[in-house]
Amino acid sequence: MALNSNISAYLEGFRKQHHWTYDQIADAARQYGVQWSSATVQSMEHGARLSDSLSNMLILASSLNDLLEKGGQPRSVTLSDLIHPLPDEVFYNLGRAQDTAAASVESVQDAMAGNPVTITTKVFGLASPDTRGPQRALGQPCFKYRRGSDGDVYRLDFDVVSDHAPTIAEKRAAEKLNMHPYDLAAFCAVRFGHTLEEESYARAGDDSTPQKRGRATRLIIDEIRDTLKRLERQALERGEAELEAQAR
């Protein structure tokens, strides 16, 4: 999973725990010279791109500590807290697109603890046939997709493993589409070359409002639903053709 998803989960939980508003965090951040608004903090809580940049992580952690100190509590938020691994998380995605490197949670935590950086990497995404076995323990089964010369998506089979863990938005969209979350994650990686969140930001714009990104996400989900209907029709047609061929 991308680091911005970890930051999103931590920020949401920590903010609600201390009953802070988006404005309070934005106000604390602006003392460092950044032009954060309540919408900026809200977008970070929803997994915005660039929230996992080192500068933004430093500003966010220090701003949260400032609010703690203002409330009479000790400064306790660390960078490691911001990217605390989610349940069952094994790898952090270090890239933005399909087949980019990922780093093990253990290696990143070791680096954050002040030890010399040695990132143990692996390529994630759709597993190739010769690597399905070793990856199966880390991933989840999902359909295999390919992108045709016409730019459309075609489903091939159900014998592949994805180590691209679904993002928060992909999990929510999967429920609406009645899909396995890992299946949707694999679909987005092939169709868009990145996650559903990143596609929403690409269409709506990095500085867009949550409402505009929400509309973009709904349109994307509708597009995926239409594609899935087409894939189902094609599967039925192939099945009927195979039955006809066997009857001859």
Side-chain angles (χ1 to χ4, degrees):
M1 182 169 289
L3 292 176
N4 53 358
S5 296
N6 300 80
I7 296 170
S8 166
Y10 179 83
L11 176 58
E12 180 180 16
F14 199 76
R15 182 183 65 81
K16 290 180 177 178
Q17 175 188 344
H18 294 279
H19 307 288
W20 293 332
T21 65
Y22 296 126
D23 278 324
Q24 285 177 289
I25 299 175
D27 286 341
R30 282 196 289 270
Q31 69 174 311
Y32 297 109
V34 295
Q35 301 301 311
W36 286 15
S37 65
S38 60
T40 305
V41 179
Q42 186 177 22
S43 67
M44 294 177 74
E45 191 171 289
H46 286 81
R49 291 191 298 174
L50 302 182
S51 60
D52 57 356
S53 71
L54 180 58
S55 57
N56 284 337
M57 288 174 63
L58 288 168
I59 292 169
L60 177 60
S62 190
S63 299
L64 296 178
N65 280 325
D66 290 342
L67 290 174
L68 285 174
E69 198 170 54
K70 186 177 180 180
Q73 301 178 64
R75 304 175 72 88
S76 61
V77 179
T78 67
L79 292 183
S80 295
D81 291 333
L82 293 182
I83 60 170
H84 185 75
L86 301 175
D88 301 321
E89 189 167 27
V90 179
F91 283 90
Y92 292 121
N93 169 19
L94 299 183
R96 296 293 181 189
Q98 181 186 11
D99 293 333
T100 53
S104 69
V105 167
E106 183 180 3
S107 64
V108 173
Q109 290 178 329
D110 197 44
M112 296 291 279
N115 296 307
V117 176
T118 303
I119 297 298
T120 304
T121 61
K122 72 180 291 298
V123 172
F124 80 102
L126 295 181
S128 59
D130 58 342
T131 59
R132 289 176 191 158
Q135 290 184 322
R136 190 171 296 277
L138 298 176
Q140 293 289 329
C142 66
F143 284 107
K144 182 178 180 181
Y145 296 97
R146 68 174 175 84
R147 191 169 185 177
S149 57
D150 56 357
D152 214 339
V153 175
Y154 298 86
R155 188 165 67 196
L156 301 183
D157 55 51
F158 196 83
D159 186 21
V160 70
V161 169
S162 173
D163 289 322
H164 165 194
T167 62
I168 295 172
E170 287 168 343
K171 288 179 179 178
R172 293 171 180 167
E175 291 182 5
K176 296 178 181 179
L177 294 166
N178 195 28
M179 292 179 70
H180 192 292
Y182 278 81
D183 192 20
L184 180 58
F187 180 98
C188 291
V190 172
R191 179 64 181 85
F192 307 122
H194 44 228
T195 66
L196 178 60
E197 284 99 332
E198 290 172 319
E199 181 63 17
S200 297
Y201 270 92
R203 296 191 186 192
D206 286 338
D207 297 326
S208 58
T209 63
Q211 291 78 10
K212 188 173 182 180
R213 291 193 298 276
R215 288 194 295 271
T217 300
R218 288 192 291 274
L219 287 174
I220 295 169
I221 291 174
D222 287 340
E223 291 176 12
I224 295 174
R225 183 178 290 111
D226 291 340
T227 301
L228 291 174
K229 289 179 180 177
R230 175 179 59 77
L231 293 173
E232 289 174 1
R233 287 196 302 270
Q234 291 176 342
L236 287 173
E237 291 170 0
R238 284 197 303 271
E240 291 172 356
E242 290 172 0
L243 288 175
E244 290 176 2
Q246 292 172 11
R248 292 193 188 106

